[in-house]
Amino acid sequence: MKIQFNTDKNIEGHQRLETYFTGEMEKSLARFDDKITRIEVHIGDENSDKSGVNDKRCMIEARPANLQPMAVTAHADSVEKAFHLALDKIKKSLSTTFEKQKEH
């Protein structure tokens, strides 16, 4: 499973965040490792340098082998919260998708 990490110009600490988030994703999605070819993480601040409620966005796109890509988005007041919310969503989506595949 290859993990690609992208941030917009408003997010600081790109390398530190990438290292932390990649480790978290590898732990959380380890059971899907052989079923996913690539994961893309997009982190952004929708209000740029202005403050706002839930203005941090994390979009995670998973590309399961031989299936259509799936994507989830989460908003929160911090990058870390948005990431963890999106990670929970993609984990549930992948679980559901692979469970349905087993039934057929």
Side-chain angles (χ1 to χ4, degrees):
M1 171 173 61
K2 181 180 181 333
I3 298 174
Q4 183 178 343
F5 195 81
N6 304 294
T7 60
D8 69 10
K9 66 182 189 308
N10 302 311
I11 302 296
E12 293 181 24
H14 172 78
Q15 191 60 44
R16 179 187 62 81
L17 287 175
E18 181 176 354
T19 301
Y20 172 71
F21 290 156
T22 298
E24 290 294 304
M25 292 198 79
E26 288 171 345
K27 278 192 295 189
S28 282
L29 303 177
R31 66 184 178 155
F32 304 120
D33 195 37
D34 60 335
K35 298 175 182 165
I36 298 173
T37 57
R38 186 172 75 200
I39 299 269
E40 289 188 37
V41 180
H42 300 270
I43 304 257
D45 184 340
E46 295 186 337
N47 288 347
S48 185
D49 56 353
K50 296 178 285 228
S51 62
V53 178
N54 294 337
D55 64 336
K56 308 301 186 278
R57 178 186 47 81
C58 179
M59 192 274 287
I60 299 177
E61 180 181 354
R63 296 180 180 261
N66 303 318
L67 294 172
Q68 291 293 316
M70 58 181 70
V72 298
T73 303
H75 292 85
D77 56 355
S78 74
V79 171
E80 290 81 6
K81 280 185 188 176
F83 170 76
H84 284 288
L85 289 170
L87 183 57
D88 287 343
K89 286 181 178 183
I90 198 71
K91 192 166 32 170
K92 287 176 188 170
S93 293
L94 290 167
S95 293
T96 302
T97 299
F98 293 131
E99 285 299 317
K100 285 181 181 178
Q101 231 182 6
K102 280 184 189 177
E103 293 172 8
H104 295 329

